[in-house]
Amino acid sequence: MILNLQNMRRPGFVLFASFILLAHSCTKLNEDVGANLTQGQVTTDSSYAAILLQSVYSSLEWTFTGFLEIFPLSELTTDEAIAPTRGNNWDDNGMWRVLHQQKYDPNNKVVHDCFNSLSGVIYAATDMLQYKATARQQAEARFLRAWAMYWLLDLYDQVPYRDPGESTVPPARVRKGKDALDYIIKELNAIEPDLLDGPANRANKYAAMALLMKCYLNKHVYLNRASPAPPDPADMNNVISLADSIIKSAHFTFSEKYFDNFSPTNDRDGKENIFTQARNFDGNYAVALAWILILSYPQNGANGFSTLSDFYNKFESTDKRKGFAYNYATSPPNPGGRVNVGFLIGQQYDLVVDTPLTSSYTNQGNPIPVVYTPDVKNVEQGANIEMPGIRPIKYPPDWAHFCVFQCDPATNEFVYLRFPDVLLMKAEAILRGGTPTNAGPYGSSAAAIVNFIRTDLSRGASRLNDVNLDTLYNERGRELWWENWRRQDMIRFGRYLKPFQQKEATSDPKYLLFPIPYEQLGVNPKNLVQNPGY
Amino acid sequence: MVLKHFFKPIGLWVLLSSMSQLALAQGREITGKVIDNKDRSALSNVSVIARGTQTGTQTDSNGNFHFTVPASIKWLTVSAIGYSSQDIDVNQTDHIEVRLESTASSLDEVVVIGYGTARKKDLTGAVASVQEKDFNKGTFTSPDLLIQGKVSGVQIMSNNGSPGAATTIRIRGNSAITGTGQPLFVVDGVPLDGRSLERNINPLNFLNPIDIASIDILKDASATAIYGSRAAYGVVIINTKKGKTGETKIDVAISVGASSALKKLDILNATQYREAIQYWGVDPSFDKGGDADAQDAILQTGWQQNYSIAGSGGNENGRYRFSAGYLDQDGIVSNTSFKKYTGDFSANLKCLKSKKLGLDLHLNSSQYIQEGSNISDGNGGSVFFALIWNPTVSLRNKDSSLRMSPAENVNPIAYSQYARDNLKVTTLLGSISPYYKFTDWLDYRLLLGINYSSGISRSSTDQALGLWPMIFSPTGYASIANNELTTQQITQTLNFNKEIFHELRLNAVLGYEYMKFTSQGFSLSASGNDATGFGNYGIDYTDYIQFSSQGSRRIASYLDPISELQSFFGRTIFTYREKYLLTATLRADGSSKFGANNKYGYFPSFAAAWDISKEDFFKLSFINSMKVRIGWGKTGNQEFPAGSSQALYSFQNGGGLRQTNNANPDLKWQSDRQYNVGVDFSICNNRVSGTMDYFNKSTTHLLFPSPPIQPAPPNSTVQWINLDGQILNKGFEIMVNGGIIRQENFSWDLSVNASFLNNNVSGLTVPLYTGDVGSPVEIIQNGHPMNTFYTRKFLGLDKSGQSVYEDDGNTFYYLGDPNPKTLLGVTSTFRFKKFSLTANMYGAFGQRIFNADLFNWLTVYGIMGRNMALSVYENPVKESLTNPAQSPSSRYIQNGNYLKMGNLTLSYAPGDIGKAFKGTNIYVTAQNLFLITKYEGFDPEVNADRSINGVPSFGIDNVRYPSSRTFIVGINFSL
């Protein structure tokens, strides 16, 4: 480029030339999102709905199958379970101890993580609803959202929500108490026609019905947890009629063995399972923690949770739900016929060669026998660090997939809802003022239903003469132990605040609800209100 | 030229003899030559005066002079700006060769400022320039440590002692509630990305200090605003060496050295442990009868060697420089090391007959391998396992094999042998820059730059460590990860420099810049196959990762959102009568990262300076020059991940798609507004010079990774917002250099810089917590400095050995902060004939440190099979073993003041040896010779990453890789 020197003296030319040079290479600065998709790309057609829906299922996994969020809040706070501090382990600044003592505060990590996880499910489901999808896909997403909302209502009494496509910048609106419950009931009724009958590991019609039953059964408690009014008979009758619909579908029956519902092949053998979590390879499916968190070190576990002796003593000796020598896919030969599922108590054995197990992990390296004893305390020290505590194994360990990190997930499907729960809810509704009905072979009185369950060959317990609310409460414990219903049941039956093993004090009524985590109160002070008393 | 030939030995003799006859007459002719003592270059315009008279002359362009002095004159005074003047004895001779020594600050020095250069005397902003001769001496893996302690207002601190460790650099205080808080680095006009390929690795490791000519630090907004939305934390400009005209010159530098640990932690030895077992009455079987010093076992002498060769040459039309370097440095912890290969090539060419077209080329390539890259910060590495090792347990069995048992803690020697963590980083930094000079006052330059770096990280744990299955995979574990960062750049500038009116000069630049940043990578990891594990074949697991179990394989790959930056900028500097200066800059930055509503940011600055000493009314004769500066400007920061302003949907492991971030379309840059008042002065015949600055820097629109408001995308931990709030940094900096003693054979130069800093937070609606040591221990709260320690107040142990806290530990208190109030740097150089002794000391005062080692790992419970701090054992009150499990408190917050002898160098410069070796310099250097501090950890220079949700922590010590003391012997010479 040859420039005339004359021109150079005119500043105008210089500016013009420079402007040309600078202006030619302007870009629009639209952000290239690399290996991600923008909202605009996802709206193109309905093929995205399936993979979006898969992520909604995925978002539910860790909070339940990880046993470190829903489980501690629903079980460690009860007479059923405890996570003793064993020396240096399981101390975590008292995070677990305060749960069993019912002394949680808004700083508690489990309270925080659980609130966020459940809210995340609500978001993932809501977000999917803004895109093209079939009615069934939308219904599935809405069911999962209703499920997460239900748990937030049950645990925290406050349910944040957003509309599809709503930005996350403004504070989310919140439904409390009755409003939240009404919304869930409305949603479940609306989506039921679009849901299929099964399979159990996807949102289905019967799962929606069972969840509706939970809503109606607990409604009077959700309206006033500390001193609930007597339940409305209309609600109880709703429970009964929903139960009957499920019974009459003949879709569910008792499994041959109690633990078939939880075994590594429970997708095939678990005939009682209404709603489960499908096995998933995304890294969040951690059902192996169901046994790893509980077993002691020589059994390749982390020596965490145990049950308490008072609860254990509620079982008759013949009650198979307590545990037995169970032969299942991937189970070791167990030549000695040792109890390998249910409540593990006493000397434990190697299940391949039947030698008594010993442990050199604690007690300064000197081997001690692995003997689980019934008496367990909040804090174990010294020689007692390792062994105290009856170990409840609800999910028979998948020996082909024993670990949880850096390995394929175990094949046991995590169980959310089971048929016997439906029967027991019907029995309870009858006892609480509903009109008895006859459906299926189970009978029309609470006693008939409860005894049908107890005496089934898979359970092997004796008949009870008197079935009242107290015995029903205990029966729920025996049937549904470790399935995340204990806290809810204790509250509904007025037992939660009372002292129980390793919780000496009567709790302040505020502990009927978990506090809203500080962090969320801090970012949404407008719509979230701390629960009373905190 | 002619004179030079004339004064060859024979000619000289003739002249001298003729001169001696003349001397008997009234005056005599004195001739001579003045050169720069360092590089032997001829100095022109040097004043040569007969001392005590007005008779004098100046040297010509070849450095020669001649004039007649009165017969009685015995001394000549030779002086020049930027050099220390000398008195030369001419009693016995009529011809002298004078070698002048340059002073530390030279006002004619050319300093690189953004997109151009300026003479120091023309600067209106606070800019510090450090030349190669003033760099810290010793072996450094990255160039930032070359200026540690050298610049007022700048704190540079190694995060830990491992070779290649990252540094924390804070220019004028801390104002980063997210991101790294590091300044913008510009290498020869190419701004660096700033991200590092792995946590805690220094992004500047690819440079070889031997290739660096000078480093300029832009501190105040009037200097940095031209870099706009990336300049809020300051700008550090690194200038590499270029070719020099003249004959080809080859420079060789060789050094070897050895490092050992500067300090070990005071924990119990075996004897003390046995006593402690009795003292606390615990089970005597904790005493296993052995005697082990685990710290010693993992520490080693770190040998190092450093070689480089550089050559340069050329003429006025083409200059070039090439260099190659090799550094091999062993760390002081076994199985850690740093090896680096570098190559640099630059050429400056002039083309066309008119020489109006020029081309500057630069290519820098390097590869470094860091072994044991991730063993600090409480990652459970060998230092960690050494600290918690029971000293009565022998580390080896009788047959010398390592003692490893699942009932005991992990053997630290075993860990260092069986755990591998290596990082290999390859970097290419290249630029090609043609320019065209329309006239001598107008030129256009185009810069095309590329910065590519690729890091491969290979880590593995041997299945022998599977004895501890809770921590390590029983079948072994291997992982390979690769990350590539690319920066592409186009910068166009039009430069104007002309006297536009009488005595009014305008130096202006107008520019356009476009930059694109890309980050891409993948990772794979797996555990050994179920049947045999990876095994023990003497091969690195990451080289046969297919031998793994299928279920354990994890793979992932990514391409981050691409970030583009488009900017228009301009600067004008008006100089009137060489005494009045006015500078104005403006930059408009558009970033693809910013939300749709805020794509462009505007960053102006203004500054003025007045060289008072040039005024007629200025009568203070002892002040040679004094310039007053005042400046104001706005800059920004945009350190948040690209893609944060719009909703992103990402593909999940095993199928599934979901939104993964919380979009904020209003996201914009963090804003800084700074003003600065300063004085540059030079007194006592330019023997003493210095600069003082007062600054006030306010940061608003704080970029903050807020917890998302639920419901929010699952596993999303962050919603980027601009937070209401303000961080105010203000302070005073002073730097003084003096030639205290100037004799012919002996001189002493002293340079001191000090900074006084004050930091305060205000305007936040909720406090922010960070510093995760188990629970947060730092707070960012109104009315307090950033990262103030906020925890229980420990009052001591009561008689029964239980901790006593203020208000029973129910109330938290503000207990000091990790930001230093005072920074100090002292450089002292003694010269005696050909010897010189240089000492560089630096220190920081007023900060506190949270000693997480004492809190987490070395408590009284260590008596039950681990170890404890000596201070716990020697506590006059016996701590009870039932003292409840530890909570953070002021017990672990310690005074962090320190003063360090950074390096001490004794060198001997025999100059030319024979015909071949020119400019020889032999030296011995001690790095980190001593450390004066009360702090109990390895080193008070520490910054472990204990961030919470993206809010960085500061001043937390958590299993720091120990610091080393190094002795180096080296030689430099030219061929």
Side-chain angles (χ1 to χ4, degrees):
Chain A
M1 190 155 89
I2 299 173
L3 290 162
N4 190 337
L5 224 71
Q6 291 285 70
N7 285 336
M8 293 313 300
R9 292 216 188 92
R10 285 185 237 140
F13 179 92
V14 171
L15 288 170
F16 175 67
S18 41
F19 186 71
I20 293 288
L21 291 166
L22 300 178
H24 81 282
S25 37
C26 285
T27 73
K28 268 207 143 49
L29 294 176
N30 289 328
E31 196 168 32
D32 176 339
V33 291
N36 300 294
L37 297 177
T38 60
Q39 255 175 329
Q41 288 171 288
V42 180
T43 49
T44 47
D45 58 55
S46 60
S47 64
Y48 291 90
I51 46 178
L52 287 169
L53 182 58
Q54 183 171 349
S55 282
V56 182
Y57 279 97
S58 188
S59 64
L60 194 55
E61 284 165 23
W62 176 256
T63 191
F64 282 89
T65 70
F67 279 87
L68 294 172
E69 291 182 7
I70 292 280
F71 180 85
L73 296 187
S74 306
E75 293 281 342
L76 289 183
T77 51
T78 71
D79 62 348
E80 231 179 58
I82 187 172
T85 297
R86 303 184 190 269
N88 273 333
N89 288 336
W90 292 96
D91 175 59
D92 300 304
N93 275 332
M95 191 167 81
W96 312 106
R97 288 197 303 276
V98 298
L99 291 177
H100 196 70
Q101 299 309 306
Q102 291 176 0
K103 286 235 186 308
Y104 22 86
D105 65 45
N107 261 332
N108 188 291
K109 183 172 187 305
V110 181
V111 168
H112 163 275
D113 289 350
C114 195
F115 189 91
N116 283 1
S117 294
L118 290 170
S119 304
V121 177
I122 295 177
Y123 186 86
T126 309
D127 189 52
M128 186 204 138
L129 293 173
Q130 65 178 308
Y131 301 110
K132 301 193 182 75
T134 65
R136 183 183 60 80
Q137 286 170 324
Q138 293 203 342
E140 287 187 48
R142 286 164 78 181
F143 173 78
L144 294 173
R145 183 174 64 176
W147 177 258
M149 286 183 162
Y150 177 79
W151 279 96
L152 275 171
L153 169 64
D154 188 73
L155 297 169
Y156 302 93
D157 197 47
Q158 296 184 54
V159 182
Y161 68 96
R162 294 196 191 271
D163 292 331
E166 182 181 320
S167 157
T168 51
V169 173
R173 290 155 293 165
V174 177
R175 292 192 187 98
K176 293 192 198 12
K178 182 173 189 308
D179 290 338
L181 186 65
D182 287 343
Y183 181 80
I184 296 169
I185 291 175
K186 192 172 84 155
E187 277 286 287
L188 290 170
N189 281 318
I191 62 177
E192 206 210 285
D194 293 321
L195 288 171
L196 300 181
D197 279 358
N201 56 26
R202 288 193 83 80
N204 60 71
K205 207 188 281 288
Y206 304 111
M209 290 184 200
L211 184 57
L212 257 180
M213 288 173 69
K214 294 268 176 203
C215 290
Y216 286 121
L217 190 65
N218 285 290
K219 183 158 156 198
H220 66 290
V221 175
Y222 290 156
L223 294 179
N224 187 334
R225 283 173 173 82
S227 37
D232 183 350
D235 293 333
M236 297 300 108
N237 286 327
N238 276 332
V239 174
I240 293 170
S241 72
L242 284 164
D244 288 346
S245 301
I246 299 177
I247 294 169
K248 287 182 182 147
S249 77
H251 217 78
F252 304 100
T253 178
F254 285 100
S255 296
E256 197 186 305
K257 298 204 174 121
Y258 178 71
F259 290 98
D260 284 349
N261 300 302
F262 307 96
S263 76
T265 50
N266 66 344
D267 54 339
R268 183 193 68 203
D269 302 329
K271 304 200 177 82
E272 301 165 20
N273 292 340
I274 298 177
F275 178 45
T276 62
Q277 179 76 44
R279 182 182 187 227
N280 198 326
F281 286 79
D282 62 3
N284 292 325
Y285 191 76
V287 79
L289 287 177
W291 54 87
I292 288 179
L293 285 178
I294 296 169
L295 295 171
S296 66
Y297 307 117
Q299 292 179 310
N300 294 314
N303 211 21
F305 307 148
S306 301
T307 191
L308 295 136
S309 56
D310 285 349
F311 184 79
Y312 177 74
N313 292 334
K314 290 186 206 263
F315 289 87
E316 291 178 332
S317 55
T318 56
D319 194 334
K320 292 187 186 146
R321 297 172 292 187
K322 201 165 68 163
F324 52 90
Y326 178 49
N327 196 7
Y328 61 96
T330 75
S331 70
N334 196 1
R338 311 288 172 188
V339 173
N340 60 350
V341 293
F343 295 91
L344 303 183
I345 185 172
Q347 173 71 54
Q348 299 302 301
Y349 291 83
D350 179 306
L351 295 173
V352 178
V353 293
D354 202 41
T355 49
L357 284 176
T358 59
S359 170
S360 308
Y361 282 94
T362 56
N363 199 24
Q364 300 137 48
N366 300 317
I368 52 171
V370 178
V371 175
Y372 296 141
T373 55
D375 291 315
V376 66
K377 296 197 281 301
N378 281 308
V379 180
E380 296 286 0
Q381 290 174 331
N384 270 344
I385 284 180
E386 209 180 329
M387 297 313 165
I390 301 167
R391 309 300 160 95
I393 302 295
K394 188 79 185 224
Y395 288 82
D398 177 357
W399 282 79
H401 303 96
F402 207 92
C403 61
V404 72
F405 298 114
Q406 289 294 139
C407 53
D408 279 345
T411 55
N412 317 52
E413 287 193 347
F414 182 88
V415 177
Y416 290 121
L417 287 166
R418 258 189 329 121
F419 184 58
D421 193 356
V422 168
L423 295 175
L424 288 169
M425 282 199 274
K426 177 177 176 182
E428 186 179 335
I430 293 171
L431 287 176
R432 290 192 190 270
T435 314
T437 63
N438 214 333
Y442 307 106
S444 60
S445 67
I449 294 171
V450 167
N451 283 322
F452 193 101
I453 298 172
R454 285 178 62 83
T455 57
D456 187 271
L457 284 175
S458 56
R459 272 80 173 153
S462 65
R463 296 184 66 83
L464 291 173
N465 292 327
D466 180 25
V467 173
N468 52 33
L469 282 174
D470 278 341
T471 46
L472 185 71
Y473 165 69
N474 285 326
E475 196 57 40
R476 285 189 66 83
R478 287 184 285 261
E479 177 63 36
L480 304 167
W481 59 275
W482 229 245
E483 288 178 59
N484 292 325
W485 300 117
R486 191 58 174 173
R487 170 183 164 273
Q488 192 187 79
D489 289 349
M490 286 188 97
I491 292 178
R492 197 168 64 251
F493 285 88
R495 305 281 215 273
Y496 188 75
L497 300 174
K498 299 203 168 115
F500 48 78
Q501 247 179 332
Q502 292 301 302
K503 177 183 95 93
E504 274 79 48
T506 303
S507 307
D508 184 298
K510 78 181 185 191
Y511 292 109
L512 289 167
L513 280 178
F514 290 100
I516 306 293
Y518 267 146
E519 184 188 87
Q520 284 303 306
L521 275 181
V523 294
N524 194 356
K526 206 169 98 172
N527 298 326
L528 280 174
V529 179
Q530 184 53 279
N531 284 328
Y534 288 108
Chain B
M1 206 57 130
V2 173
L3 287 169
K4 201 165 160 186
H5 288 303
F6 201 71
F7 284 114
K8 279 283 193 288
I10 295 174
L12 178 61
W13 189 87
V14 166
L15 195 61
L16 277 181
S17 45
S18 58
M19 282 198 141
S20 57
Q21 288 164 13
L22 283 173
L24 295 172
Q26 284 119 325
R28 58 187 174 126
E29 175 106 356
I30 308 253
T31 58
K33 183 172 169 146
V34 183
I35 61 175
D36 180 316
N37 195 19
K38 186 156 198 279
D39 59 17
R40 301 291 192 255
S41 57
L43 296 175
S44 56
N45 295 327
V46 175
S47 141
V48 184
I49 299 181
R51 196 170 76 171
T53 73
Q54 298 285 8
T55 316
T57 182
Q58 293 214 315
T59 56
D60 63 15
S61 56
N62 293 315
N64 295 312
F65 71 89
H66 65 99
F67 72 127
T68 310
V69 301
S72 57
I73 288 299
K74 293 189 175 47
W75 292 89
L76 296 183
T77 300
V78 180
S79 61
I81 295 177
Y83 290 87
S84 26
S85 59
Q86 289 186 24
D87 288 347
I88 313 289
D89 183 347
V90 290
N91 217 359
Q92 308 293 340
T93 175
D94 290 333
H95 177 79
I96 54 173
E97 187 188 74
V98 185
R99 298 187 199 140
L100 289 186
E101 205 66 55
S102 73
T103 54
S105 98
S106 158
L107 292 169
D108 276 328
E109 225 168 70
V110 166
V111 168
V112 177
I113 56 179
Y115 304 100
T117 60
R119 292 175 302 179
K120 210 167 160 86
K121 63 185 182 192
D122 293 338
L123 291 175
T124 51
V127 177
S129 179
V130 186
Q131 306 297 310
E132 186 192 12
K133 60 180 163 59
D134 296 318
F135 287 162
N136 280 318
K137 310 230 183 307
T139 302
F140 301 103
T141 52
S142 63
D144 40 12
L145 294 170
L146 296 171
I147 55 174
Q148 184 176 33
K150 295 281 176 183
V151 181
S152 60
V154 178
Q155 180 189 21
I156 300 179
M157 183 168 74
S158 291
N159 289 351
N160 62 65
S162 82
T167 52
T168 299
I169 304 178
R170 295 283 176 266
I171 299 183
R172 295 190 163 178
N174 192 6
S175 55
I177 60 169
T178 183
T180 59
Q182 302 286 85
L184 175 69
F185 286 97
V186 179
V187 179
D188 287 345
V190 179
L192 298 185
D193 180 302
R195 289 181 283 192
S196 61
L197 293 154
E198 205 173 279
R199 203 173 69 100
N200 229 7
I201 299 300
N202 195 324
L204 297 176
N205 276 341
F206 69 97
L207 287 167
N208 187 345
I210 207 90
D211 290 327
I212 299 179
S214 65
I215 298 181
D216 299 303
I217 300 101
L218 310 183
K219 294 189 281 185
D220 77 331
S222 70
T224 59
I226 198 157
Y227 283 102
S229 69
R230 306 168 66 200
Y233 302 130
V235 180
V236 176
I237 301 180
I238 297 178
N239 308 299
T240 59
K241 292 178 181 163
K242 304 284 174 247
K244 285 201 165 87
T245 53
E247 276 181 13
T248 303
K249 188 166 108 143
I250 310 269
D251 294 318
V252 177
I254 301 173
S255 74
V256 297
S259 307
S260 59
L262 177 63
K263 188 173 166 197
K264 285 170 25 175
L265 288 196
D266 287 327
I267 52 181
L268 303 185
N269 61 31
T271 313
Q272 291 161 331
Y273 202 79
R274 290 189 180 99
E275 290 169 4
I277 288 178
Q278 307 275 5
Y279 184 53
W280 270 288
V282 294
D283 192 328
S285 68
F286 282 121
D287 173 2
K288 302 287 187 210
D291 190 340
D293 186 334
Q295 283 187 91
D296 268 348
I298 55 149
L299 291 172
Q300 63 182 11
T301 303
W303 295 96
Q304 56 166 262
Q305 29 182 352
N306 195 355
Y307 308 99
S308 75
I309 181 166
S312 77
N315 54 39
E316 309 88 59
N317 296 331
R319 300 170 288 144
Y320 66 90
R321 178 181 179 272
F322 67 87
S323 81
Y326 172 64
L327 167 68
D328 183 354
Q329 181 179 10
D330 282 342
I332 53 169
V333 175
S334 52
N335 291 325
T336 66
S337 68
F338 188 91
K339 228 187 246 206
K340 179 158 81 176
Y341 305 87
T342 55
D344 189 283
F345 174 76
S346 71
N348 308 95
L349 311 169
K350 286 201 178 46
C351 322
L352 292 188
K353 207 150 155 211
S354 60
K355 305 294 165 216
K356 283 189 182 212
L357 182 65
L359 185 66
D360 291 335
L361 296 163
H362 182 216
L363 181 65
N364 178 296
S365 65
S366 109
Q367 183 177 83
Y368 69 83
I369 299 157
Q370 188 181 38
E371 210 189 294
S373 47
N374 226 359
I375 73 157
S376 296
D377 286 357
N379 277 352
S382 36
V383 176
F384 169 75
F385 291 121
L387 290 180
I388 63 168
W389 183 258
N390 179 339
T392 63
V393 176
S394 305
L395 287 159
R396 289 186 185 275
N397 298 315
K398 289 206 172 51
D399 62 1
S400 283
S401 62
L402 289 171
R403 178 172 170 153
M404 294 168 46
S405 156
E408 288 163 8
N409 288 321
V410 178
N411 185 319
I413 305 178
Y415 181 85
S416 78
Q417 277 181 11
Y418 291 126
R420 284 253 137 81
D421 200 347
N422 298 344
L423 175 67
K424 181 194 281 188
V425 176
T426 309
T427 308
L428 275 173
L429 177 65
S431 63
I432 176 166
S433 177
Y435 58 93
Y436 185 79
K437 281 184 162 23
F438 296 111
T439 68
D440 6 313
W441 44 266
L442 183 69
D443 63 76
Y444 163 82
R445 181 183 281 271
L446 172 69
L447 174 73
L448 300 168
I450 183 137
N451 182 7
Y452 169 80
S453 72
S454 164
I456 303 179
S457 153
R458 286 171 180 267
S459 63
S460 60
T461 62
D462 192 297
Q463 65 191 51
L465 291 174
L467 273 180
W468 298 278
M470 294 294 129
I471 318 174
F472 304 107
S473 162
T475 49
Y477 173 82
S479 114
I480 307 172
N482 171 281
N483 177 259
E484 291 177 297
L485 287 176
T486 312
T487 304
Q488 297 162 58
Q489 173 189 8
I490 300 175
T491 306
Q492 304 185 59
T493 51
L494 201 58
N495 301 288
F496 176 99
N497 191 346
K498 187 181 190 330
E499 186 171 335
I500 50 178
F501 289 120
H502 178 57
E503 289 192 306
L504 178 66
R505 169 170 286 276
L506 170 62
N507 181 348
V509 69
L510 196 60
Y512 166 82
E513 185 168 81
Y514 167 79
M515 297 194 73
K516 182 165 153 178
F517 306 94
T518 319
S519 164
Q520 185 178 32
F522 64 84
S523 67
L524 50 119
S525 69
S527 298
N529 68 78
D530 295 327
T532 66
F534 276 115
N536 194 349
Y537 303 103
I539 311 175
D540 188 325
Y541 288 176
T542 59
D543 287 330
Y544 59 109
I545 202 170
Q546 64 277 14
F547 203 53
S548 52
S549 87
Q550 208 150 20
S552 70
R553 293 178 190 159
R554 298 285 176 265
I555 57 169
S557 65
Y558 63 92
L559 170 62
D560 281 342
I562 295 170
S563 164
E564 292 174 296
L565 189 62
Q566 176 168 262
S567 322
F568 303 89
F569 56 89
R571 173 176 56 223
T572 56
I573 305 179
F574 290 98
T575 314
Y576 183 58
R577 287 195 179 167
E578 297 276 322
K579 341 182 228 194
Y580 309 106
L581 302 148
L582 187 68
T583 306
T585 72
L586 177 65
R587 179 165 176 136
D589 260 351
S591 168
S592 61
K593 283 207 284 193
F594 296 145
N597 304 332
N598 286 306
K599 276 276 188 252
Y600 274 87
Y602 300 91
F603 304 95
S605 84
F606 299 98
W610 180 19
D611 199 337
I612 296 190
S613 56
K614 291 220 174 83
E615 294 292 355
D616 295 326
F617 61 74
F618 192 79
K619 295 282 190 257
L620 298 164
S621 60
F622 73 95
I623 299 185
N624 302 102
S625 76
M626 182 156 118
K627 181 168 88 173
V628 180
R629 295 178 275 105
I630 181 165
W632 171 94
K634 282 177 126 168
T635 50
N637 178 268
Q638 47 154 290
E639 207 172 346
F640 57 85
S644 304
S645 67
Q646 59 177 308
L648 296 179
Y649 286 81
S650 312
F651 297 97
Q652 304 299 306
N653 202 349
L657 175 75
R658 63 176 164 82
Q659 191 177 346
T660 44
N661 69 336
N662 294 287
N664 181 355
D666 290 323
L667 199 53
K668 58 184 276 206
W669 59 94
Q670 180 170 290
S671 249
D672 249 60
R673 182 271 306 135
Q674 191 183 152
Y675 66 82
N676 186 89
V677 176
V679 176
D680 303 323
F681 59 88
S682 178
I683 60 178
C684 303
N685 282 331
N686 292 319
R687 280 266 290 264
V688 178
S689 64
T691 148
M692 300 192 289
D693 281 275
Y694 168 79
F695 66 88
N696 182 305
K697 184 169 82 151
S698 156
T699 309
T700 53
H701 297 113
L702 306 169
L703 274 175
F704 177 61
S706 161
I709 305 177
Q710 297 294 344
N715 294 327
S716 68
T717 48
V718 155
Q719 163 106 57
W720 286 98
I721 57 176
N722 294 94
L723 202 59
D724 280 332
Q726 186 203 49
I727 299 176
L728 190 64
N729 278 293
K730 50 187 184 177
F732 177 73
E733 303 164 353
I734 177 165
M735 178 155 95
V736 181
N737 316 300
I740 298 187
I741 300 180
R742 284 255 185 278
Q743 302 288 341
E744 179 163 345
N745 281 331
F746 179 70
S747 69
W748 178 24
D749 288 79
L750 185 65
S751 170
V752 178
N753 69 75
S755 326
F756 306 93
L757 309 163
N758 181 290
N759 179 297
N760 193 41
V761 177
S762 60
L764 291 179
T765 47
V766 282
L768 314 174
Y769 297 92
T770 182
D772 183 10
V773 294
S775 52
V777 87
E778 291 180 351
I779 191 173
I780 301 176
Q781 168 68 290
N782 294 334
H784 296 272
M786 280 191 61
N787 297 96
T788 296
F789 292 113
Y790 181 65
T791 184
R792 297 170 190 84
K793 194 174 191 175
F794 178 71
L795 298 174
L797 297 174
D798 66 15
K799 286 197 305 288
S800 61
Q802 302 280 336
S803 294
V804 179
Y805 300 102
E806 187 81 49
D807 191 25
D808 275 343
N810 291 324
T811 308
F812 280 19
Y813 296 87
Y814 300 97
L815 297 158
D817 68 278
N819 305 296
K821 311 271 178 304
T822 309
L823 298 172
L824 182 68
V826 178
T827 303
S828 178
T829 307
F830 299 93
R831 223 170 266 116
F832 177 69
K833 296 202 183 176
K834 295 194 186 213
F835 288 89
S836 80
L837 180 69
T838 305
N840 284 308
M841 288 204 301
Y842 60 90
F845 310 91
Q847 69 276 13
R848 323 211 82 199
I849 300 175
F850 188 91
N851 190 333
D853 291 344
L854 273 185
F855 168 59
N856 278 324
W857 320 119
L858 299 173
T859 63
V860 71
Y861 303 104
I863 194 59
M864 298 191 286
R866 289 186 157 194
N867 204 338
M868 73 169 77
L870 189 59
S871 56
V872 173
Y873 175 49
E874 290 182 340
N875 194 328
V877 180
K878 178 163 131 182
E879 183 166 356
S880 160
L881 284 175
T882 63
N883 198 3
Q886 306 294 301
S887 328
S889 69
S890 60
R891 183 176 184 186
Y892 310 101
I893 299 177
Q894 300 186 330
N895 187 322
N897 294 348
Y898 67 91
L899 188 63
K900 227 185 221 189
M901 174 64 82
N903 46 89
L904 183 66
T905 304
L906 177 65
S907 63
Y908 172 62
D912 299 348
I913 298 182
K915 282 229 163 52
F917 301 102
K918 302 194 192 61
T920 333
N921 185 356
I922 304 169
Y923 62 91
V924 169
T925 296
Q927 279 180 266
N928 277 351
L929 187 57
F930 61 78
L931 166 66
I932 303 174
T933 183
K934 282 213 179 71
Y935 177 63
E936 286 175 32
F938 283 116
D939 193 323
E941 261 190 72
V942 66
N943 193 9
D945 179 4
R946 297 277 105 201
S947 57
I948 294 183
N949 279 342
V951 180
S953 65
F954 194 41
I956 295 188
D957 184 359
N958 191 20
V959 193
R960 184 192 191 284
Y961 187 116
S963 288
S964 2
R965 177 186 293 120
T966 310
F967 293 97
I968 300 171
V969 171
I971 178 168
N972 302 333
F973 57 88
S974 306
L975 296 167

